[in-house]
Amino acid sequence: MKRMTSAACVLLAVLAVMVGSRAASGRNNIRTTFLNNYPAVVGTQLDDLPSKTDHCGVCHFNFNGGGARNPYGARIEVGLNGGLNNLQAIVAAEGYDSDVDGFTSLVEITHIGTFANTPTFPGLSSANVGSTSNTPLAQIQPYLTPAGGPDTTPPDVTVITPNGGQSIAAESTYAVTYTASDAGGVSHVDVFLSEDAGVTFKPVATSQPPAGGYSWFVPNRPGSANRIRVVAYDTAGNAGHDDSDASFTITATPAGYVPTTLRDVDLPGTQPHEGAIFDDPDLNCGTCHGNYNSAVEPWYNWRGSMMAQAARDPLFLACLAVAEQDAPSVGDLCIRCHTPGGWQEGRSVDTSAGLLTAKDRHGVQCDFCHRAVDHNYVAGVSPARDADVLATVSPVPLQYGNGQFVNDWAAIRRGPYSDAPASHDVVESPYHRSSDLCGVCHDVSNPVFAAAGPGNYVPTAFDQPHPDFDVRNMGPVERTYSEWSQSEYASVGVYAPQFAGNKPGGVVSTCQDCHMRDVVGAGANEEGTPTRTDLALHDLMGGNTFVTDIVGMFYPSEVDAGQLAAARDRAVSMLQKAVSLTVTPEDFGVTVRVTNETGHKLPSGYPEGRRIWLNVRAYDALGQMVFESGEYNATTGVLHHDEQAVVYEIHGGLSPALALALGLPTGPSFHFVLNDTVYHDNRIPPRGFTNAAFQTIQSPPVGHAYADGQHWHEAGYNLPAEAESAHVTLYYQTTSKEYVEFLRDANTTNSAGQDLYNAWIAQGRAAPVAMAHARVAVDVLADVPEAPGEAFAFTLESIYPNPFNPAGTLRYSLAERSRVRIAVYDVAGRLVRTLVDEVRDVGRHAVAWDGRSDAGTDLASAVYFVRYDAGGRTVLRKAALLR
């Protein structure tokens, strides 16, 4: 054995430091242990290079030792930090393809003679070799991936089943059987599916054992031109394959309300089995980025967050079950964002999430975000590596949204810093400082709908991808990122020190500025990691306090109660920073103003029962309550919608035409994936709001009006004369009784809805969180005009009922005395009835429409448009007349 050089000693010293207090265990002889375990590599390129004898390049990018470890070295580190000794850690790494070149570490190190250039470096590949230093690239490049060799004969492969003529039900499990043999041994097989009789193939399984077959969960991609291809690889890297002799049929999953398939939700970006196999964050990320300072470290804070619970979320799983009933296979769109690792590794073909593993349930995890590639490549700005990744993706996403991500298959992480002394290959990425990264999953559209006009969406052809993949030509579901993009936060930034953390000046502009605020701390426990003043805290919470309370009931062995409790506290803090509340005494009672301090609508996110409301109580001189609006019964979970109640929320629903086609009631609906209409959206816009801009992003107010620039809402409350004080509380609730009961009652396929309901009861019915509170003294005068209700707002509500027959009522309000014109038009734009055309006073008003034209004739059953013009505002509402 050669005497170790000083360069080798550097490696050993660093490896000793990386395990902290366990350095005394003698782990400073990794190189010696490696060479002793693989004596055949002594004297080869893994031991000596012409320019660098006794080098440390097996584990490190720097051949002098120290600094970042390559993927093989990082894998060794995981074993050491998991309690293994040197030899055990080296042996444990043998089965991994650390550098993602198609060969395990064992093959690269030990199959000398099988290939022309072995042994090869198990941690280096063409994708990361540019990160090496202190040795010429020309001496390394011939030894990156096993190639050539005396064995040039590919394995012999025979597909046994399905071999043609079969009829296989989608969403069933089918045994793909085959034989694969080779004189030198078969390493593994990959399985592919063709939907066009063998013209093109897509992967359905990778790295399967060479014998025993593959248990295939059949995707809901119906058709009669399907064939299976099995590709086998021998230990010399040769590949052989066989295809089904003839086509077989896949029969569609029975339709729900609509006959959707996986093709309906096909979208651009990295596809299953084309990206990376993500590391387990507990095993691979927590070793360096956790267990040293829970207040700021990335691992602890991420692990309690809703990002980490995204695939465990019982509310999501209950919603997914109903969505799958309504529109088979649309769950694939949901799984893309709730567990991109499970989706990318092909376990979303069971679109009800039945194939997901414990690793998948880590949700939106470290490896996903830190291997994310911006589809909008800018030369000289984006990492150069991104161009190589994008060249392999077709089609590339058009916009940020719908989980259309691009992910690097190589173990090259990206982050916001240029000086991170990571133990793995890392590059600086401006994308990771941009809200665009968040927009990938926080802007969601339904690709089964196409826009047919403002607020009007029609189903696309079933069993076909969306015709153009343009999210602005899809049905809007959630627009958080787009709302931000049209706000003052995105354009110039907003002074909001409550969110900014340690950011100089207190100005916030990106999603990360608020949801990953700057703190002081180190991002890893590695020696040399700088203490930063702009460390991004992996807070990653919005306002969800309900799921953090219940997820431990479902997955007690996968979550940590302390991490969840800390995340819940951060969510409460986020909610309390999100608003300003002012209460002004009036002769009639009080005026309450709620100001949105966030960069998106308040509340934002999915229309799944989340809501904010005002609770106003008045007390007399004896402390007796004499008035309450917005009463919430914690025992029943019922929010009382009294005459003056103000609730901020969005209601999607079914248009008359679609409801008729589906056999469901017209109007607001919790059938999430079927809804084609927004019936109500009075959520408070962010700073910088304009009606025109929010119309372009498919998120205008509906049934309510906000003036351009208005990022607040005011409501007047009439209080009784005996009132002497008013107490106002703004509450947030993650989900409502109505939605939870819908998920329970609508579910006919599994217990997810009932399980959620049981947890909802046990937890306290998603107890609301107080966002803000104010108390003022009042002196209410008798015989004063009533409060104008929603002050300073010109509004037109939807006709009630809708559809109506024989008559419906339109309610509207005026912020000031104004001329009002309310007119009805047919779908061709022809005026059919003028209901109001005169000056009216400030306040609330109502007008009835009997379904007749100006000529007094009964109009036919149809959808009509009601136009409201007042105070320089124009609002359109749909009204469905059903005879």
Side-chain angles (χ1 to χ4, degrees):
M1 188 71 191
K2 291 185 175 71
R3 180 178 59 84
M4 295 184 64
T5 65
S6 60
C9 292
V10 172
L11 165 67
L12 307 181
V14 171
L15 287 173
V17 169
M18 77 184 182
V19 294
S21 63
R22 292 177 291 183
S25 63
R27 288 179 178 171
N28 60 349
N29 56 356
I30 298 288
R31 189 177 190 277
T32 300
T33 304
F34 178 85
L35 295 175
N36 287 343
N37 192 53
Y38 305 119
V41 307
V42 174
T44 71
Q45 54 271 14
L46 297 194
D47 180 14
D48 289 315
L49 288 171
S51 67
K52 188 68 63 176
T53 59
D54 297 342
H55 65 75
C56 297
V58 173
C59 289
H60 287 266
F61 286 116
N62 184 344
F63 273 60
N64 284 345
R69 285 170 285 283
N70 64 42
Y72 177 73
R75 178 64 62 180
I76 298 296
E77 180 190 11
V78 169
L80 295 176
N81 286 346
L84 303 181
N85 63 33
N86 297 347
L87 178 59
Q88 290 169 335
I90 289 170
V91 172
E94 290 181 340
Y96 289 95
D97 178 11
S98 300
D99 52 6
V100 198
D101 62 1
F103 298 90
T104 66
S105 298
L106 183 65
V107 170
E108 295 203 52
I109 297 167
T110 65
H111 283 222
I112 298 172
T114 304
F115 303 88
N117 62 341
T118 47
T120 55
F121 289 92
L124 300 179
S125 67
S126 58
N128 66 16
V129 68
S131 297
T132 59
S133 60
N134 287 311
T135 193
L137 281 178
Q139 295 181 17
I140 307 170
Q141 286 175 326
Y143 307 111
L144 299 179
T145 303
D151 180 4
T152 59
T153 303
D156 183 41
V157 184
T158 301
V159 172
I160 300 173
T161 58
N163 208 27
Q166 293 88 350
S167 181
I168 307 172
E171 299 190 346
S172 66
T173 301
Y174 184 86
V176 175
T177 59
Y178 51 83
T179 61
S181 60
D182 185 86
V186 175
S187 168
H188 64 282
V189 303
D190 294 338
V191 182
F192 298 79
L193 172 67
S194 173
E195 301 172 37
D196 52 17
V199 177
T200 59
F201 285 87
K202 294 180 179 179
V204 297
T206 57
S207 300
Q208 297 300 305
Y214 168 64
S215 183
W216 179 37
F217 190 91
V218 183
N220 187 22
R221 295 183 176 275
S224 57
N226 300 286
R227 300 194 184 196
I228 284 289
R229 170 173 289 179
V230 175
V231 180
Y233 303 85
D234 65 18
T235 57
N238 301 301
H241 77 269
D242 186 40
D243 300 346
S244 304
D245 289 344
S247 296
F248 59 90
T249 297
I250 295 176
T251 59
T253 301
Y257 283 108
V258 291
T260 43
T261 73
L262 271 169
R263 295 187 184 97
D264 288 293
V265 290
D266 280 344
L267 293 167
T270 297
Q271 299 300 305
H273 302 291
E274 293 182 1
I277 296 176
F278 293 149
D279 286 337
D280 186 317
D282 285 352
L283 298 178
N284 298 83
C285 307
T287 54
C288 292
H289 298 285
N291 300 305
Y292 63 94
N293 185 348
S294 62
V296 298
E297 69 180 41
W299 181 77
Y300 183 94
N301 292 283
W302 160 80
R303 203 173 184 280
S305 74
M306 280 306 302
M307 301 281 272
Q309 315 313 320
R312 299 186 187 102
D313 179 354
L315 181 60
F316 158 66
L317 294 171
C319 178
L320 179 67
V322 175
E324 282 285 291
Q325 291 173 187
D326 291 348
S329 297
V330 297
D332 183 80
L333 177 64
C334 311
I335 293 172
R336 289 178 78 112
C337 281
H338 280 260
T339 172
W343 187 88
Q344 186 167 274
E345 293 179 36
R347 288 184 287 275
S348 69
V349 284
D350 180 356
T351 51
S352 64
L355 295 180
L356 299 182
T357 66
K359 188 183 82 166
D360 298 336
R361 287 194 292 272
H362 282 302
V364 185
Q365 58 116 305
C366 318
D367 239 7
F368 169 66
C369 289
H370 289 283
R371 291 197 192 191
V373 172
D374 190 349
H375 71 261
N376 183 23
Y377 180 79
V378 179
V381 177
S382 304
R385 165 68 184 165
D386 288 6
D388 296 332
V389 176
L390 290 168
T392 68
V393 176
S394 181
V396 172
L398 298 174
Q399 300 117 334
Y400 304 103
N402 270 15
Q404 298 173 104
F405 58 79
V406 176
N407 210 257
D408 195 340
W409 65 89
I412 301 174
R413 276 72 173 190
R414 291 155 178 77
Y417 305 117
S418 61
D419 60 345
S423 62
H424 47 69
D425 202 8
V426 63
V427 294
E428 182 185 9
S429 167
Y431 184 42
H432 288 72
R433 294 189 292 267
S434 165
S435 294
D436 296 341
L437 175 66
C438 310
V440 170
C441 282
H442 289 281
D443 229 56
V444 180
S445 304
N446 190 337
V448 182
F449 288 102
N456 187 19
Y457 302 93
V458 296
T460 60
F462 291 117
D463 194 33
Q464 296 291 328
H466 190 274
D468 60 22
F469 296 129
D470 185 347
V471 298
R472 299 294 179 231
N473 190 25
M474 299 179 185
V477 176
E478 185 245 355
R479 285 289 182 264
T480 303
Y481 166 76
S482 289
E483 291 161 8
W484 164 84
S485 73
Q486 301 301 314
S487 75
E488 189 175 319
Y489 293 79
S491 59
V492 296
V494 171
Y495 178 70
Q498 73 271 30
F499 291 116
N502 203 41
K503 186 174 290 295
V507 174
V508 297
S509 60
T510 67
C511 306
Q512 292 91 327
D513 287 346
C514 295
H515 296 280
M516 299 182 73
R517 67 186 184 277
D518 288 356
V519 295
V520 177
N525 59 16
E526 292 287 289
E527 183 181 24
T529 300
T531 296
R532 305 182 187 277
T533 59
D534 64 342
L535 179 68
L537 180 73
H538 285 55
D539 180 347
L540 306 173
M541 292 299 290
N544 194 326
T545 58
F546 171 52
V547 170
T548 52
D549 282 342
I550 67 171
V551 70
M553 302 177 188
F554 294 80
Y555 302 98
S557 65
E558 296 182 13
V559 298
D560 179 274
Q563 293 166 350
L564 290 170
R568 189 188 194 283
D569 289 345
R570 298 197 304 272
V572 172
S573 175
M574 185 68 70
L575 288 170
Q576 293 172 345
K577 296 171 184 174
V579 296
S580 297
L581 180 68
T582 58
V583 182
T584 304
E586 309 277 8
D587 289 347
F588 56 77
V590 292
T591 295
V592 179
R593 174 179 281 207
V594 180
T595 301
N596 180 5
E597 305 291 356
T598 77
H600 42 68
K601 284 188 176 182
L602 183 72
S604 194
Y606 295 93
E608 55 189 8
R610 67 182 69 188
R611 58 193 179 183
I612 292 173
W613 73 88
L614 283 166
N615 175 263
V616 179
R617 297 180 179 184
Y619 295 85
D620 63 16
L622 298 177
Q624 301 295 314
M625 187 171 69
V626 294
F627 171 89
E628 182 172 19
S629 175
E631 174 197 1
Y632 178 77
N633 188 322
T635 302
T636 63
V638 172
L639 174 61
H640 179 56
H641 290 69
D642 58 90
E643 189 176 87
Q644 298 190 65
V646 176
V647 183
Y648 305 103
E649 57 191 342
I650 179 173
H651 291 299
L654 301 169
S655 66
L658 184 59
L660 182 64
L662 300 179
L664 289 169
T666 296
S669 160
F670 284 132
H671 286 278
F672 202 94
V673 300
L674 302 177
N675 291 342
D676 66 335
T677 299
V678 175
Y679 278 91
H680 176 79
D681 184 358
N682 70 335
R683 296 174 299 160
I684 306 173
R687 280 177 170 81
F689 162 81
T690 67
N691 285 278
F694 272 57
Q695 184 71 53
T696 65
I697 63 169
Q698 304 163 288
S699 188
V702 177
H704 190 86
Y706 290 97
D708 287 353
Q710 183 180 348
H711 60 279
W712 63 86
H713 176 261
E714 286 190 344
Y717 288 86
N718 298 291
L719 302 182
E722 61 268 29
E724 292 205 352
S725 66
H727 299 237
V728 180
T729 304
L730 184 70
Y731 284 106
Y732 173 92
Q733 192 171 42
T734 304
T735 192
S736 66
K737 172 181 185 289
E738 292 79 9
Y739 188 60
V740 172
E741 291 181 342
F742 165 80
L743 294 178
R744 177 197 63 188
D745 298 339
N747 190 315
T748 61
T749 52
N750 61 27
S751 65
Q754 184 65 54
D755 294 342
L756 172 69
Y757 178 81
N758 294 344
W760 178 74
I761 294 291
Q763 178 269 351
R765 294 175 169 80
V769 173
M771 299 178 69
H773 178 78
R775 176 182 176 178
V776 296
V778 295
D779 184 11
V780 180
L781 302 181
D783 301 322
V784 298
E786 287 192 352
E790 297 174 351
F792 307 105
F794 289 92
T795 66
L796 172 67
E797 299 177 9
S798 296
I799 195 166
Y800 182 85
N802 195 12
F804 70 94
N805 179 24
T809 300
L810 286 152
R811 299 186 183 278
Y812 62 98
S813 63
L814 301 174
E816 58 189 35
R817 181 177 172 82
S818 307
R819 184 170 193 87
V820 183
R821 189 172 191 274
I822 300 177
V824 181
Y825 297 82
D826 64 17
V827 292
R830 295 182 291 260
L831 175 67
V832 296
R833 181 73 178 271
T834 300
L835 298 173
V836 181
D837 192 5
E838 60 188 15
V839 174
R840 292 284 178 91
D841 288 327
V842 63
R844 294 183 177 179
H845 304 272
V847 61
W849 179 34
D850 57 6
R852 295 182 179 181
S853 69
D854 280 330
T857 58
D858 289 335
L859 294 172
S861 295
V863 174
Y864 295 87
F865 291 91
V866 180
R867 175 171 172 153
Y868 160 96
D869 292 279
R873 301 279 292 112
T874 297
V875 180
L876 286 175
R877 296 284 175 261
K878 291 181 183 179
L881 172 60
L882 245 117
R883 295 292 185 186

